[in-house]
Amino acid sequence: MADLTQIAGNVVQGIAGYEAGKYNRDAAYNAAIEEESAGVAEEARIRAAARQAIGQQVAAQGANGFTMGSGSALDALAESQINAAFDALQARQQATRRARAARAQGDIALAQGNNALLTGMMGAASKSIDWASDRRASDAGTMRRRG
């Protein structure tokens, strides 16, 4: 009876490990989606802040007597736009890296779950073979020595 309990325990443990792996994979994939969404929001925030700053820069140039949109004033605006685009790109790339890492972590969790299932089934099969062998030996009137 104890052998049957061990066999069932191995199966249950393997299935539980597999289910945990699937759950952790799904959780990691959801985290990846959240990272990507946060990256898009951060990029939008950076672009909006840059537009506001550039607008203030243009207004300040006009208030200070510069000819707006020409010469060094235009160069300053172009540099501000380039910096904003670079910052937005970096925010998106960082979010993409974090999302990729989360998906990789999810894939690893699923692989661990698959391995747990395989290990559980192999343990159950091994216990079944031992149990069957002991049963045959018992029916024959001798007990097999374990060792």
Side-chain angles (χ1 to χ4, degrees), residues 50-64:
R51 280 192 300 276
Q52 182 180 10
I54 290 170
Q56 290 171 350
Q57 191 176 5
V58 168
Q61 288 172 358
N64 289 328

Side-chain angles (χ1 to χ4, degrees), residues 24-40 91-107:
N24 290 335
R25 188 252 344 248
D26 292 346
Y29 272 54
N30 287 334
I33 291 168
E34 290 175 16
E35 287 290 350
E36 289 168 338
S37 295
V40 169
R92 181 173 285 217
Q93 286 177 337
Q94 288 171 358
T96 299
R97 272 196 238 65
R98 289 190 303 267
R100 190 178 309 121
R103 285 189 181 95
Q105 188 176 26
D107 292 341

